[in-house]
Amino acid sequence: MKQTRLSDHSFGVMMLMPTLVFVGCIAMYPILRILWLSFFTQNLTTGLKPEFAGFLNYVRIAHDGHLFRTIWVTCVFTFFAVGIELILGLGFAMLMHENFRGRGIARAAALIPWALPTAVLALAWTWIFNDQFGVFNDLLLRLGVLKESVAWLGNSGTAMSSVIFADVWKTTPFMMIILLAGLQNIPAELYESASIDGAPPWKCFTLITLPMLVPSLMLALLFRTLQSFGIFDLIYVMTGGGPGGATETVAIYTYSTFLRYLDFGYGAAIVVTTFVLMAAGAALIYWPLSRTSGGRNAT
């Protein structure tokens, strides 16, 4: 009787299959449940019983100005937060890539903000930005920058910049660690050859560092864009979406629709719409960067 031998790859897939099926079922059930619920009306007017509504919830989304405003607020937050984090993360990554005494301790210390629980961190920043006894106001008053205290989280003009500041402080180390890993994968011989040819530092950065960092930049941008677009805990603790909806993101609006107004069908439709928007945004980031990375690898 002839015996067939499985290759290492096939054997590995076979061993992982039960786990993949189990995890897939756990992940797929809530996704399919939300998709199913988005075609039903289930709120207090129906006695919390699902009634088939077809595409009525999606038609309602098309006319929901409140939702479009929260999408705009979310996009503004994501654009500025991720942009600042990318610039600062790249700068800190290059700094931590240099050889200096105590580099290991500095790298560990830089990760502390990212390791802290977001809710605890948000509560701390709420106290820092407090207009009565916050450290931020006290510092600016002592320096003479302000003449009177400012309600940073109670003013629609400063609330968004305050939560962006807190988010940048929290997640810049995440950007740094991804980009630092990319920097460590760049061969040192490239910089040695460039220095022998007399290339200045800025030319090494633009012709060697940035092109070689494209995969890491793509990964960091994808992760942080998706995380920022779905942000909830930081803003909910700091402002609750206020004042006057100035910091109300899609996630907070969805939370209110589900758990405050108990409109489960419409909330599910918002979740599905948000998922589509996030997938489209991820594709817009991935496609041009992947083409850039592919062109670099081909050369």
Side-chain angles (χ1 to χ4, degrees):
M1 184 175 178
K2 188 177 178 180
Q3 293 183 348
T4 58
R5 251 184 106 184
L6 291 173
S7 64
D8 292 340
H9 176 73
S10 300
F11 180 74
V13 171
M14 185 181 69
M15 295 299 292
L16 287 174
M17 191 58 65
T19 303
L20 293 176
V21 171
F22 179 72
V23 174
C25 291
I26 293 177
M28 288 304 297
Y29 173 75
I31 295 175
L32 295 176
R33 171 69 176 173
I34 286 291
L35 183 61
W36 174 85
L37 188 58
S38 68
F39 293 102
F40 287 79
T41 298
Q42 185 179 4
N43 51 35
L44 293 175
T45 61
T46 65
L48 297 180
K49 296 179 180 179
E51 295 181 0
F52 183 73
F55 290 93
L56 184 62
N57 287 323
Y58 293 98
V59 173
R60 182 179 168 188
I61 283 178
H63 298 87
D64 190 350
H66 190 176
L67 175 62
F68 288 126
R69 185 167 63 83
T70 61
I71 292 175
W72 170 251
V73 169
T74 307
C75 289
V76 170
F77 173 84
T78 301
F79 177 80
F80 285 102
V82 175
I84 296 172
E85 289 163 12
L86 182 63
I87 296 172
L88 293 179
L90 180 58
F92 282 119
M94 296 184 67
L95 177 63
M96 294 298 174
H97 187 58
E98 298 294 325
N99 287 319
F100 58 89
R101 195 171 184 179
R103 185 176 66 173
I105 298 176
R107 287 180 177 181
L111 292 176
I112 292 177
W114 181 51
L116 292 174
T118 304
V120 175
L121 180 97
L123 189 60
W125 279 108
T126 302
W127 283 88
I128 291 172
F129 285 123
N130 187 278
D131 58 323
Q132 298 295 325
F133 39 78
V135 176
F136 194 64
N137 268 329
D138 183 66
L139 180 63
L140 294 181
L141 288 171
R142 290 176 184 272
L143 293 175
V145 178
L146 296 178
K147 293 184 179 180
E148 59 182 11
S149 297
V150 175
W152 299 100
L153 299 178
N155 189 320
S156 59
T158 58
M160 176 59 76
S161 58
S162 299
V163 295
I164 289 175
F165 187 91
D167 185 72
V168 168
W169 189 86
K170 160 74 176 174
T171 52
T172 294
F174 177 77
M175 282 281 196
M176 181 200 74
I177 200 67
I178 293 179
L179 298 179
L180 179 59
L183 286 172
Q184 291 177 335
N185 287 327
I186 300 177
E189 293 80 5
L190 295 177
Y191 294 105
E192 293 174 0
S193 300
S195 62
I196 292 174
D197 294 337
W202 65 269
K203 207 161 188 179
C204 292
F205 176 75
T206 56
L207 296 180
I208 299 176
T209 305
L210 277 182
M212 297 292 289
L213 270 182
V214 167
S216 298
L217 287 169
M218 182 168 59
L219 181 65
L221 278 175
L222 277 174
F223 277 1
R224 280 303 302 139
T225 299
L226 294 177
Q227 289 174 348
S228 295
F229 199 86
I231 190 168
F232 173 79
D233 45 5
L234 180 78
I235 295 181
Y236 185 78
V237 173
M238 290 186 67
T239 65
T247 60
E248 186 179 14
T249 60
V250 177
I252 293 178
Y253 181 55
T254 305
Y255 168 83
S256 299
T257 304
F258 264 110
L259 299 180
R260 182 177 296 176
Y261 306 118
L262 301 179
D263 197 348
F264 299 113
Y266 187 57
I270 295 175
V271 171
V272 174
T273 304
T274 304
F275 174 79
V276 173
L277 291 176
M278 293 174 70
L284 289 175
I285 295 173
Y286 178 80
W287 185 71
L289 289 178
S290 62
R291 286 174 60 90
T292 303
S293 179
R296 177 180 60 81
N297 292 333
T299 55

